[in-house]
Amino acid sequence: MTPLTAVRAITLTLGVLIAALHWFLPALTRPDLYFAVTVPPGLRHSAAGMAILRRYRGELVAVSLLALVALAACSLGPAPAFTPLLLLVQLAGSFFVFYRARARVRPHGVVSASMREAEPEDRSRTLPGGSLAASGPFLLVAACAAYLKVNWQQIPTRFPIHWGLSGMPDAWATRSLINVYRPLLVMSAALIPLTLLLYGMSHWVRPIRRSGIDGGPESRFQRTASIAVLAIEYLIALQAAWIALQPLLPDFRVAGAAGMLTLLLPLLVVIALVFALARLGQGGSRLSAKEEPPQTSSEAVGDRTDDRYWLLGVIYFNRDDPAILIEKRFGIGYTLNFARPMSWSIILLVLLLPAVLALLRRA
């Protein structure tokens, strides 16, 4: 498989993955949240709820087919440069379909239970594997940097830094501190916000149901999501090490061919992580549904936040909520409380990353 073929395959796979994920998302949310609206738990299985779901999926199929046809036509061209833009268009179209379904659900909405549970005991949530596992990606980058320093004289005075879709190098750099260590610096900058997010998932998430039947599945989902973030960090560190060590490889063509693995591996990891989280359901809801007794109350619980704090059903802004990370209402994982200063600090850190990358490229 040539690099160009790999890029085409990855692009089409991402398009199919986006379509499939949006198809199943309504079934992965908590039973009393339907298209980001707090509803009675039985609505999704009622005639009205099923009709809304059928219409949503029909519109989603139409949007996804158009997007996939455009992706196929673009990726099969000589230079699939516009495929990232088409993926963004597909995401925007999928969100538009979701928003139309949300508007049809809103008349069925009910008031969310605002009472929050106090944890019955102090459950200190720790990072998966502890601080040693969390520091692993940075230790790997540091070890790679040390190896480069020890073998500095073996690095060619001129080495490739980019490979074209043909698999051959098309950009070169001279041996210098910034050129040799640039991949490690770039990836380290990407690791910082992810590490902050990993810490936040263990300390800044407001539990919805810590007690009762749902407590165990919710804790399991939170731990699985943390492991997913940690896995992405290790993947980034491994890619950084691979790219940084390429000048020491005996054959640059081997480096370019093996570089295809750096394209395919992230996709495989993402698919595996999405599958693992989808199997649990948002907040472990699919696990708790197997054990949940029959409903004894018509009161909707939802995620214990009022619908009015959710802009478009996906953006949470509540000054009265001290939580920084909360469960998404439509999707898998967590979102930020945009009313908290720490949330904007995280966003600023992420936005500064492209600026850091640009400075490193010019150096």
Side-chain angles (χ1 to χ4, degrees), residues 2-332:
T2 66
L4 179 57
T5 303
V7 170
R8 289 168 173 168
I10 290 172
T11 300
L12 292 176
T13 302
L14 284 174
V16 173
L17 183 62
I18 290 172
L21 185 60
H22 281 85
W23 175 278
F24 289 109
L25 274 182
L28 301 181
T29 57
R30 290 181 177 270
D32 36 15
L33 289 171
Y34 201 42
F35 290 99
V37 179
T38 306
V39 297
L43 175 66
R44 68 175 61 206
H45 300 297
S46 67
M50 294 300 293
I52 292 173
L53 180 62
R54 285 194 298 270
R55 188 168 178 182
Y56 162 80
R57 286 178 169 172
E59 294 176 354
L60 179 66
V61 167
V63 168
S64 299
L65 284 177
L66 289 174
L68 290 175
V69 169
L71 279 171
C74 186
S75 63
L76 292 176
F82 294 101
T83 50
L85 179 60
L86 289 175
L87 289 173
L88 290 177
V89 171
Q90 181 183 3
L91 286 171
S94 300
F95 176 80
F96 179 71
V97 172
F98 150 77
Y99 189 72
R100 283 172 54 85
R102 179 173 179 267
R104 292 189 283 268
V105 174
R106 291 183 69 178
H108 302 277
V110 295
V111 177
S112 174
S114 59
M115 182 179 63
R116 296 173 185 164
E117 294 184 8
E119 296 201 39
E121 56 184 87
D122 181 19
R123 301 182 183 178
S124 298
R125 286 162 278 169
T126 59
L127 298 171
S131 57
L132 180 61
S135 60
F138 294 95
L139 294 176
L140 179 59
V141 170
C144 182
Y147 185 81
L148 289 171
K149 179 178 176 59
V150 171
N151 295 275
W152 183 263
Q153 294 302 323
Q154 279 69 48
I155 299 176
T157 56
R158 188 170 179 267
F159 58 88
I161 57 174
H162 188 269
W163 280 258
L165 294 177
S166 64
M168 299 300 294
D170 57 7
W172 298 74
T174 57
R175 184 177 63 190
S176 66
L177 286 176
I178 189 62
N179 287 336
V180 171
Y181 289 106
R182 181 184 286 112
L184 300 180
L185 294 173
V186 169
M187 295 303 191
S188 296
L191 287 174
I192 292 174
L194 284 173
T195 303
L196 186 60
L197 175 63
L198 181 65
Y199 177 86
M201 291 172 67
S202 298
H203 296 80
W204 299 339
V205 174
R206 171 178 41 78
I208 296 177
R209 299 175 183 174
R210 275 297 181 197
S211 61
I213 292 176
D214 291 327
E218 183 174 334
S219 296
R220 181 176 172 183
F221 174 83
Q222 185 173 333
R223 182 171 180 81
T224 303
S226 298
I227 293 174
V229 174
L230 189 59
I232 292 174
E233 287 195 58
Y234 273 96
L235 177 62
I236 290 175
L238 287 172
Q239 286 188 308
W242 168 253
I243 296 173
L245 293 176
Q246 283 187 5
L248 292 173
L249 294 178
D251 191 337
F252 294 146
R253 289 174 296 178
V254 173
M260 287 190 296
L261 294 176
T262 66
L263 296 175
L264 296 174
L265 185 59
L267 178 63
L268 296 177
V269 171
V270 168
I271 292 175
L273 295 178
V274 169
F275 177 79
L277 292 173
R279 185 171 175 270
L280 298 176
Q282 178 67 307
S285 57
R286 299 190 69 187
L287 292 179
S288 59
K290 298 176 182 179
E291 307 172 1
E292 190 173 357
Q295 291 288 331
T296 58
S297 172
S298 60
E299 180 187 24
V301 175
D303 56 0
R304 303 183 187 275
T305 59
D306 197 289
D307 291 4
R308 61 194 173 96
Y309 294 122
W310 289 89
L311 178 63
L312 304 177
V314 295
I315 300 175
Y316 184 65
F317 190 95
N318 185 359
R319 293 187 177 92
D320 297 326
D321 190 347
I324 298 173
L325 291 171
I326 58 174
E327 285 187 15
K328 292 180 179 180
R329 281 195 159 193
F330 191 77
I332 295 292

